[in-house]
Amino acid sequence: MTVDKVHVELGADSYEIHIGDGILDGLGVNLQLIGFPRKAVVVTNATIAALYADRLLSALRRADLQVDMVQVADGEEYKSMATLMFLYDELIRLGTDRHCGLIALGGGVIGDLAGFAAASFLRGIPFIQIPTTLLAQVDSSVGGKTGINHPLGKNLIGAFHQPRHVQIDVAVLDTLPEREYCAGLAEVIKYGIIRDRDFFYWLQQNRQLLAARDHNALIYAVMKSCQIKANVVELDEKEESLRAILNYGHTYGHAVENLAGYGKYRHGEAVAIGMVVAAAMSVELGFSSQDELLEIRSLLQSFGLPVTPPELSIEECLVAMGRDKKAKQGELRFVLNRGLGDCFIVGLADPLKLLTAVMLRLTATES
Ligand code: NAD
Ligand code: GLY
């Protein structure tokens, strides 16, 4: 069975990402090779457990690991302090000590929650990511951001804690609901826009295979995405500067998520709208062309992603964007694209005029 590998070079915290078709069962051998603790707790939810837990647990036990499983409730609202406390309780009940590890089996919610439990329990124990959504495979499982939500904001409590290994089986995406799958594709397209023009064109050319979830096309798309993310994280692990480019489309996207009410848009859908807004800002400021804006818009649209900003007042959006953790010293920070395949970060003190022009441009583009 072929396995593609991406190495994440972070000194003592380096690790490998393995990507393949049907490689869920291969994890046990990898864990032996990297010296992962022989006693581990799999953290997942009931939806994913029903689909993949038996297979994973049997494979791990065949590789002589002593494994237990803890299930938490399914949903973003459970990426919370209460669920974290429940998880700590279960880990203590199961006798988890510093010679044990955690295995996150799930989407970004499980990965962030289990990762933060691993970062904080007993001052830190090792963990593995087995991402089962496309978003988690190309984004949240790589780079070591872990955390939970606070009632006053998303991801406000967390830590950087790198996984010891990431095992990505694209076959598990077969069971992912269509909307979740397409939301993940928005993040894949993001990598092409910000860092790799050839990859953007590859996505254009292979959109039918991707829409059909062709495993070979997915392996390539996930591998390219992980390579790009790994490269950025290697250069700026703690997001002191460069890593913020991964937030392309997120400044406006978070405002949309927030103002439309959490739950109306999936994160990737709001980011798709945010990317169109960022692309239009880049055109307004002369860094990109109208044709490139149209290419971005049409690629997103071809996967059924929303590309039209909802009818929200720009003033309200500006207030919501000001509350974002990416705002810095009174300036809103946007990631803008320079053509296709390159980007930069800009701080704007008063983007009202620019956003007004952008909304007019987008309305004209639609008609
Ligand atoms: P999610 O984890 O809620 O998963 C979406 C849904 O799909 C859930 O109901 C889940 O049970 C189900 N599911 C997962 N895998 C499945 C499969 N293979 N088959 C069928 N159903 C499956 O959502 P998500 O989009 O994966 O993650 C969103 C979270 O990721 C947010 O909390 C966000 O803040 C976080 N995130 C973190 C980072 C990071 O760098 N740490 C980056 C981006 C997003
Ligand atoms: N998802 C953005 C980051 O990991 O930095």
Side-chain angles (χ1 to χ4, degrees), residues 139-140 142-143 145 187 190-191 229 233 239 243-244 246-247 250:
D139 190 357
S140 60
V142 176
K145 279 189 185 175
E187 301 282 354
K190 175 190 81 179
Y191 291 117
K229 177 149 187 187
V233 169
E239 198 168 312
R243 185 165 176 168
L246 299 174
N247 296 324
H250 285 57

Side-chain angles (χ1 to χ4, degrees), residues 45 47-48 51-52 74-76 79 106-110 112 132-133 135-136 139-142 145-146 149 154-155 172-173 175-177 180 187 229 243 266-267:
N45 67 35
T47 313
I48 302 154
L51 293 163
Y52 302 110
D74 187 358
E76 181 72 38
K79 202 175 101 176
V109 167
I110 293 290
D112 280 11
T132 61
T133 63
L135 176 129
D139 190 357
S140 60
S141 67
V142 176
K145 279 189 185 175
T146 71
N149 299 326
K154 265 193 76 166
N155 297 328
V172 303
L173 300 179
T175 54
L176 194 63
E180 300 292 347
E187 301 282 354
K229 177 149 187 187
R243 185 165 176 168
R266 294 297 300 151
H267 174 71

Side-chain angles (χ1 to χ4, degrees), residues 3-6 15-20 23 26-27 30 33-34 129 131 165-170 222 226:
V3 177
D4 283 277
K5 294 178 186 171
V6 175
Y15 53 96
E16 301 262 306
I17 304 167
H18 287 191
I19 304 149
I23 65 166
L27 180 68
N30 294 329
L33 289 174
I34 62 168
Q129 289 273 19
H165 177 84
V166 183
Q167 184 90 355
I168 301 182
D169 184 347
V170 296
V222 171
C226 288

Side-chain angles (χ1 to χ4, degrees), residues 88-108:
Y88 291 147
D89 290 349
E90 290 296 286
L91 294 178
I92 294 165
R93 187 181 63 76
L94 291 168
T96 310
D97 62 25
R98 303 187 78 179
H99 304 287
C100 300
L102 298 191
I103 298 177
L105 172 70

